[in-house]
Amino acid sequence: MKKRLKLGIIGGGPGSWIGHVHRIASRFDDEFEIVAGVFSRNLKINQKFATKIGVSKDRCYKNFKELCLKEIKRKDSIDVVSVMTPPGSHQEISELFIKNKIHVISDKPFAGNLLQAKKLYKTIKKNKKIVYGLTHNYSAYPMVRQAKKIIKDKKIGNIEYINVEYVQDWTNGKKITYNNAKKIFKWKLESKYAGISTVLNEIGSHAFHLACYITGLKGQELFSQITQYSKKIKFDTNAQVFVNYENNARGLFWISTNAKGGIHGLKIRVFGTKGSLEWTQNDPNYLIYSNTNGATKKLDRAYNESSYSKKFSRIKFGHPEGYLSAFSNLYREISHKIKNKKIYRNYLYPNEDDGLLTAKYIDACVKSSKNKKWVKINA
């Protein structure tokens, strides 16, 4: 039997959808075993949940500091910790484990704000033996990686335009008032948890990362307009962003949590001098490839011209595959990196470099919207 990495979990307790996703992803390929954790600030809920998922009482801890300091003293200590708490806590938690030689898998975003991101980035780079993985899971979809390869192979020429939409409706059809906002949005209303911008940290980070990941381009400057829910309910809900890229390409982003009827509409279109690509997360097994001198093609995952995507496909072409598989691809790749440090391989999972870059975009967006002018993306 192959050795499983011993995994500790922080956050993601009962009622947490993303916690459920992380736990499934970690077990998908039998690479990890969940042995420790702190799942809730409520001690009774924490212990009850730990028992439910098979974590022994002596390895169910009160907080992340206790988890770290007690685990490192054990002979069977955890190898990796998975962080799925609100953004504002990511830096503090991750740094503690990194400094104690424990690998980290973190849910996005990288940190709550750019200052935290820079500090965390510096800590990771100082501890080169530690593997850090960031779960921007859309990067692990087979056809996203196929798109990345098509662009790298210059099949659509030089990139000219990038268009990304990620729109949701967090109201779930309810009328939001000052009195019920806290109950509906919970910690997302508080900047100490949500970070510099709720809409940009929660889903904008995905949009910026996806564009950079697929195209390989980094923005140089941007102009943004961010709006809040209301004068009384002060948290960011909508952002429209223009980005100027390093090769004179132009980007347009629309990111919203207040688009009525919006159902997780993540979509990216990339236009080059020879053609274009289009990928939609709600129909993830296909990539629309248009050539200026030929017919538009609908490329199928793991089939014919999309053979590169086979490397990241879990089931045979013609059958649907998606979100959990993409998440699991990240956990598998991070596990392989931890176990095979001396073996060179071009791993594709997002890391601290991706995290810092998205933090720079978000910081620039907030400054641009506040000052109503173009802002250089922090170098």
Side-chain angles (χ1 to χ4, degrees), residues 165-173 199 203 227 229 237-239 254-265:
E165 286 185 12
Y166 199 173
V167 297
Q168 300 181 1
D169 179 7
W170 286 5
T171 67
N172 197 28
V199 68
I203 59 177
T227 53
Y229 195 85
T237 59
N238 194 87
W254 176 35
I255 305 143
S256 183
T257 63
N258 193 33
K260 299 298 186 291
I263 307 176
H264 292 71

Side-chain angles (χ1 to χ4, degrees), residues 363-376:
D363 185 74
C365 284
V366 173
K367 289 177 179 175
S368 173
S369 183
K370 182 179 180 180
N371 298 315
K372 296 181 173 57
K373 66 180 184 180
W374 285 86
V375 171
K376 289 191 178 298

Side-chain angles (χ1 to χ4, degrees), residues 17-18 108 136-138 141 163-170 199-210 237-240 252-259 262-268 279 281-282 323:
W17 175 77
I18 202 65
K108 59 76 204 163
H136 280 297
N137 66 302
Y138 303 114
Y141 275 86
N163 175 231
V164 185
E165 286 185 12
Y166 199 173
V167 297
Q168 300 181 1
D169 179 7
W170 286 5
V199 68
L200 292 175
N201 269 346
E202 286 300 296
I203 59 177
S205 57
H206 275 313
F208 294 133
H209 177 261
L210 187 64
T237 59
N238 194 87
Q240 293 157 288
L252 176 61
F253 293 75
W254 176 35
I255 305 143
S256 183
T257 63
N258 193 33
I263 307 176
H264 292 71
L266 176 58
K267 179 179 182 179
I268 182 167
W279 182 79
Q281 193 240 333
N282 283 350
Y323 194 86

Side-chain angles (χ1 to χ4, degrees), residues 6-8 33-37 54-56 59-60 71 76-78:
K6 293 182 286 295
L7 179 66
E33 180 183 6
I34 300 170
V35 299
V55 173
S56 61
R59 299 185 81 171
C60 174
E71 279 293 317
D76 60 347
S77 169
I78 60 171

Side-chain angles (χ1 to χ4, degrees), residues 199-255:
V199 68
L200 292 175
N201 269 346
E202 286 300 296
I203 59 177
S205 57
H206 275 313
F208 294 133
H209 177 261
L210 187 64
C212 294
Y213 184 84
I214 288 178
T215 66
L217 297 180
K218 295 180 181 179
Q220 291 186 319
E221 60 179 356
L222 59 76
F223 183 89
S224 76
Q225 183 180 53
I226 302 169
T227 53
Q228 296 187 333
Y229 195 85
S230 69
K231 290 182 179 179
K232 287 186 176 181
I233 306 171
K234 296 185 177 181
F235 82 107
D236 297 344
T237 59
N238 194 87
Q240 293 157 288
V241 186
F242 295 95
V243 179
N244 289 338
Y245 287 91
E246 55 197 343
N247 72 333
N248 293 320
R250 299 292 183 259
L252 176 61
F253 293 75
W254 176 35
I255 305 143

